[in-house]
Amino acid sequence: KPATKSRQNSSDPGLSKAKRPRSPLQKPREETVVAQEASSRAKPAAKPRSKKASRPVAGKKKSKSPPRKPWHALFSLPLKANWLILFGSAIVLFGALNFWLYYHKNAPSPFDIVDDETETSGFIPILIPASDDGEGNSAPTFDSAPLDADPADPDAGLIPDRLVIPAIFLDAPILPVHYKDIESGGVTYHQWRVPAEFAAGWQDESALLGLPGNTVLNGHHNAYGMVFKNLVKLDIGDLIIVYSGETEFRYEVAAKMLLPERGQTLETRMENARWMQTSADERLTLVTCWPADSDTHRVIVVAFPEGTYTPPAGDEPGGN
């Protein structure tokens, strides 16, 4: 019986795999792998269908949303973000407005520009009308002005060359300075120069020492040696000594003023300039700018010969 013999042979553990007979229905392994690869190439795998995908309905067109405007994005933000954007925009606008106002208020006028060096220092040039008609060209007066100097005094009529102010520890030379004429609106003005060094400047058309009139000294306070750096610290009654060679002239401070200057109208600046014009009495006037970081004001110190002026109660400078 051949079939029996074949089953016996296949069940015999002693036979090797190579010698075992193969079933007529079993295909070789190589043929099975080749068939699976051909089947995978012939039928591609189906893609997973999205849950949100929907089948188009026959006869119904898909509606298109209108294009979004640029400001729609702003309103789609959270309320807190909108407030932050509006607050930041307000700060930027406020800063720009302040810058514009500051620039226009502090922009130099033609009267403020003498030359590049002076303008860089921030000093406000001293401006005085150049007309000689005598109208409004005198310094303001005090109610109790001192007596005029004696024209017969042999020490009268001297050029100042040294300034000493013990209260602010100042000892500086004095140099003669002249003005530069500028014209605006058909009117000529004197712009007085200021020494570009540690020295006070004597305006050479102001009064000589010891004679009736106004002796005017100017100086920088935040540049070129800062000779008048502490002029603003003077008090009423402080002593000022001006020398001409070995001859000294002693003065006593009678008034100190801080007058707005930068950005002011021409009329205001001309009123301030009256303190540097001629006077009927003998006086000394010191002029500089203030404060150091902006030079917006003019410091004016007026002094009279020592022992000649005692301000009464309520006596104020200016007016006439």
Side-chain angles (χ1 to χ4, degrees):
K1 296 180 180 180
T4 304
K5 186 177 179 179
S6 176
R7 284 195 297 271
Q8 290 177 356
N9 292 340
S10 62
S11 61
D12 187 359
L15 294 177
S16 63
K17 291 182 180 181
K19 294 181 180 181
R20 289 178 185 176
R22 186 174 60 194
S23 172
L25 300 177
Q26 185 178 1
K27 293 182 180 181
R29 179 177 179 80
E30 293 78 2
E31 295 180 4
T32 303
V33 172
V34 171
Q36 290 177 354
E37 291 179 355
S39 175
S40 63
R41 287 193 299 269
K43 186 178 181 181
K47 294 183 179 180
R49 189 175 181 183
S50 174
K51 294 181 179 181
K52 294 183 180 181
S54 59
R55 295 181 180 180
V57 180
K60 185 178 181 181
K61 294 183 180 180
K62 187 177 181 181
S63 61
K64 293 183 179 180
S65 59
R68 302 188 67 182
K69 302 294 183 183
W71 56 82
H72 287 178
L74 178 64
F75 292 104
S76 64
L77 294 175
L79 182 61
K80 184 177 180 180
N82 286 336
W83 278 110
L84 289 175
I85 293 173
L86 293 174
F87 183 70
S89 301
I91 291 178
V92 171
L93 291 175
F94 182 74
L97 178 61
N98 277 336
F99 176 80
W100 184 85
L101 292 175
Y102 176 83
Y103 175 80
H104 283 271
K105 182 179 179 180
N106 296 282
S109 70
F111 301 111
D112 292 337
I113 302 173
V114 176
D115 50 48
D116 293 340
E117 187 176 85
T118 304
E119 178 60 23
T120 301
S121 72
F123 178 76
I124 308 174
I126 298 170
L127 194 67
I128 296 178
S131 61
D132 298 325
D133 55 9
E135 184 178 348
N137 283 359
S138 60
T141 61
F142 290 75
D143 292 339
S144 302
L147 297 175
D148 293 343
D150 184 3
D153 187 348
D155 293 330
L158 300 179
I159 296 176
D161 57 27
R162 181 184 171 202
L163 174 65
V164 176
I165 307 179
I168 56 175
F169 307 100
L170 177 64
D171 189 340
I174 300 175
L175 303 177
V177 293
H178 200 60
Y179 56 81
K180 171 187 177 182
D181 280 338
I182 63 170
E183 186 175 339
S184 177
V187 180
T188 302
Y189 301 90
H190 294 332
Q191 262 187 352
W192 284 96
R193 300 286 186 163
V194 181
E197 58 183 284
F198 182 77
W202 170 59
Q203 297 181 187
D204 60 4
E205 290 197 349
S206 65
L208 296 169
L209 296 174
L211 292 178
N214 190 6
T215 303
V216 181
L217 304 179
N218 61 39
H220 287 290
H221 79 120
N222 61 351
Y224 305 114
M226 300 181 290
V227 64
F228 281 168
K229 175 182 178 181
N230 296 316
L231 189 68
V232 71
K233 297 180 180 179
L234 286 180
D235 293 321
I236 306 300
D238 284 343
L239 177 66
I240 300 176
I241 307 172
V242 181
Y243 288 87
S244 179
E246 297 299 324
T247 304
E248 71 174 32
F249 296 82
R250 300 170 71 89
Y251 299 87
E252 188 176 348
V253 175
K256 181 182 70 175
M257 292 154 282
L258 287 175
L259 306 177
E261 182 81 8
R262 186 183 294 277
Q264 301 301 311
T265 63
L266 182 60
E267 291 74 15
T268 299
R269 298 183 70 170
M270 291 297 97
E271 186 63 26
N272 296 344
R274 287 187 61 196
W275 291 103
M276 291 164 274
Q277 293 176 344
T278 185
S279 64
D281 50 50
E282 180 186 356
R283 68 172 67 178
L284 174 72
T285 301
L286 308 181
V287 185
T288 191
C289 296
W290 183 88
D293 58 347
S294 60
D295 295 313
T296 56
H297 288 64
R298 189 79 75 194
V299 179
I300 306 287
V301 174
V302 179
F304 291 106
E306 188 180 31
T308 64
Y309 175 72
T310 302
D315 187 20
E316 295 293 338
N320 300 324

